């Protein structure tokens, strides 16, 4: 096998649906169709002919997506099966064997595995926890050279919830321009800002930018598997060629629902619901960690659906996660999947009652094992 196992996704897939309390969800508690759509819209969905549809995305869907980005139209959009497929296609479109990719870490590590499988070399630049997860831009520039072909970002960041400031985005663009490289940014959490002020996309800041998006995270619709790529028209045409070899098309029902959800007023409604959930659950999480003194701490996220908690217990993060799952029935994601031991990730987009129940179990378990 030429590609490494994607530990984060494999671990979640194995256990998230088999534990009594799952605290690893990276998005928001998903909608049902009854909650999301009107009766007339549901009737329209149930009467839809289950054909293929346009393989690069329906024109209405691509048009409504394009309105989320500056100076963009439907020819700048490719619709994919979730943002995971978007990441795979983007890398195979932009990169060639021997290229180097400088990647923000911590990060959703799918791109790291794809880059290695392609015969490229990934290099890290860090968000610094001691500086509230601000990026080390000097480190970024130190990793650049003539072989670099991409800077890979995740903004808002998974798992820290950090959001790049505009001046940081501009500095990264200047570095990319200096070395004439692509910026690829995973923006799947765009719109899930705790302050309810949506931050700008990298798209439109530089002519060699491609970004992704999707309905799984900020929109609480992971089951639709609807994502997209946004980029220069010629590059997007090339991504469509790769899409023909991967999944061919996203599902027709996902297209139809996406056209509804991304209408301006409906989009605002969905994001408001999820941001409200995020703020309420963040407060609960802060109160919970404070009960554990200096054993648990985290930098509050600015966006996204999770917190990345640092702990001081004398135990490896995978061992801690396995023990809690097997012995206590509660599942947290080990920091090891991000290459960061002594941390764990908790999804705070869960239902409030489930989160409170999970924290009660965690507290009892930690007090039992570590006498705190």
């Amino acid at each position: 096998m030429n590609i490494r196992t994607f530990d984060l996704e494999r671990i979640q897939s194995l256990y998230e649906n088999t534990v009594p309390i799952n605290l690893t969800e990276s998005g928001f508690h998903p909608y049902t169709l009854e909650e999301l759509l009107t009766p007339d819209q549901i009737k329209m969905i149930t009467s839809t002919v289950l054909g293929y549809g346009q393989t690069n995305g329906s024109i209405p869907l691509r048009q409504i997506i394009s309105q989320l980005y500056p100076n963009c139209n439907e020819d700048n959009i490719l619709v994919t099966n979730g943002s995971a497929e978007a990441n795979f296609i983007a890398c195979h479109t932009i990169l060639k064997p021997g290229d180097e990719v400088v990647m923000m870490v911590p990060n959703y590590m799918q791109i790291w595995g794809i880059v290695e499988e392609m015969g490229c070399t990934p290099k890290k630049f860090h968000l610094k926890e001691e500086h509230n997860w601000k990026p080390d831009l000097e480190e970024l520039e130190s990793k650049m050279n003539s072989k670099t072909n991409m800077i890979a970002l995740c903004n808002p960041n998974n798992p820290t919830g950090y959001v790049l400031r505009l001046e940081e985005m501009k500095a990264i663009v200047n570095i990319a321009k200096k070395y004439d490289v692509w910026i690829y940014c995973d923006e799947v959490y765009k719109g899930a800002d705790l302050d309810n002020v949506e931050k700008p996309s990298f798209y439109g800041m530089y002519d060699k930018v491609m970004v992704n998006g999707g309905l799984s995270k900020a929109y609480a619709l992971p089951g639709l598997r609807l994502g997209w790529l946004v980029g220069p028209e010629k590059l997007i045409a090339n991504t469509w060629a790769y899409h023909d070899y991967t999944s061919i098309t996203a599902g027709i029902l996902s297209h139809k629902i996406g056209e509804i959800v991304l209408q301006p007023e409906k989009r605002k409604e969905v994001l408001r619901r999820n941001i409200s959930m995020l703020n309420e659950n963040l407060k609960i999480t802060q109160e919970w960690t404070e009960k554990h003194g200096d054993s648990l701490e985290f930098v509050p996220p600015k966006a996204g659906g999770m917190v990345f908690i640092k702990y001081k217990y004398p135990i490896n993060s995978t061992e801690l996660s396995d023990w809690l799952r097997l012995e206590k029935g509660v599942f947290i994601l080990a920091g090891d999947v991000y290459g960061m031991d002594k941390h764990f990730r908790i999804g705070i987009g869960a239902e409030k009652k489930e989160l409170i129940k999970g924290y009660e179990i965690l507290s009892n378990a930690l007090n039992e094992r570590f006498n705190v």
Side-chain angles (χ1 to χ4, degrees), residues 109-330:
M109 295 301 287
Q110 182 199 19
I111 288 177
W112 190 277
I114 295 170
V115 167
E116 288 183 324
E117 177 269 333
M118 292 184 65
C120 302
T121 301
K123 295 183 173 181
K124 301 175 182 178
F125 83 96
H126 291 82
L127 301 178
K128 295 290 191 176
E129 187 171 18
E130 63 269 28
H131 299 306
N132 295 325
W133 297 117
K134 290 181 180 179
D136 188 338
L137 299 182
E138 290 183 1
E139 183 186 23
L140 167 59
E141 183 147 21
S142 74
K143 300 297 177 71
M144 306 290 291
N145 61 55
S146 61
K147 293 183 179 180
T148 309
N149 196 22
M150 179 194 285
I151 299 171
L153 309 168
C154 182
N155 186 51
N157 179 255
N158 175 352
T160 68
Y162 185 78
V163 180
L164 293 169
R165 296 176 296 170
L166 183 58
E167 56 265 37
E168 292 166 339
M169 296 173 71
K170 289 179 178 178
I172 293 171
V173 167
N174 287 337
I175 293 171
K177 287 180 177 178
K178 179 178 178 180
Y179 290 89
D180 190 29
V181 303
W182 284 92
I183 291 174
Y184 180 70
C185 190
D186 179 341
E187 296 184 346
V188 75
Y189 288 97
K190 181 172 166 34
D193 301 89
L194 276 116
D195 62 4
N196 206 25
V197 177
E198 188 168 350
K199 308 307 183 293
S201 170
F202 266 97
Y203 185 79
M205 296 184 69
Y206 169 47
D207 59 0
K208 296 183 75 170
V209 170
M210 181 181 282
V211 304
N212 78 12
L215 297 186
S216 293
K217 305 303 182 186
Y219 299 92
L221 296 168
L224 292 182
R225 306 309 304 136
L226 191 76
W228 56 82
L229 286 169
V230 188
E233 185 174 330
K234 183 177 179 180
L235 190 68
I236 289 297
N238 291 336
T239 66
W240 191 0
Y242 277 97
H243 185 49
D244 287 339
Y245 282 93
T246 51
S247 67
I248 301 177
T249 181
I252 191 66
L253 297 182
S254 297
H255 277 77
K256 294 292 186 182
I257 297 170
E259 291 170 18
I260 295 169
V261 169
L262 293 174
Q263 293 294 326
E265 289 306 312
K266 187 64 176 181
R267 180 176 185 267
K268 289 178 184 177
E269 173 192 320
V270 169
L271 293 178
R272 277 197 303 267
R273 175 255 200 189
N274 294 337
I275 291 168
S276 175
M277 188 183 304
L278 182 62
N279 276 292
E280 185 174 22
N281 287 345
L282 177 59
K283 183 179 179 182
I284 292 168
T285 302
Q286 289 171 320
E287 292 171 350
W288 173 68
T289 56
E290 287 170 1
K291 293 177 182 177
H292 291 267
D294 63 355
S295 296
L296 300 176
E297 61 182 36
F298 68 93
V299 179
K302 298 179 180 180
M306 64 195 82
V307 293
F308 198 47
I309 296 176
K310 184 177 182 179
Y311 66 87
K312 297 183 180 179
Y313 306 119
I315 187 172
N316 166 261
S317 64
T318 298
E319 184 182 349
L320 176 62
S321 175
D322 288 346
W323 174 68
L324 289 168
R325 174 175 52 82
L326 293 170
E327 300 297 328
K328 305 300 178 182
V330 62

Side-chain angles (χ1 to χ4, degrees), residues 321-362:
S321 175
D322 288 346
W323 174 68
L324 289 168
R325 174 175 52 82
L326 293 170
E327 300 297 328
K328 305 300 178 182
V330 62
F331 184 27
I332 61 174
L333 191 65
D336 282 339
V337 302
Y338 295 99
M340 296 188 68
D341 192 16
K342 298 295 182 178
H343 292 77
F344 59 86
R345 191 190 81 184
I346 285 181
I348 58 171
E351 288 185 291
K352 179 180 176 181
K353 62 181 181 180
E354 289 296 297
L355 197 64
I356 292 172
K357 184 177 180 181
Y359 285 156
E360 182 178 353
I361 296 171
L362 282 177

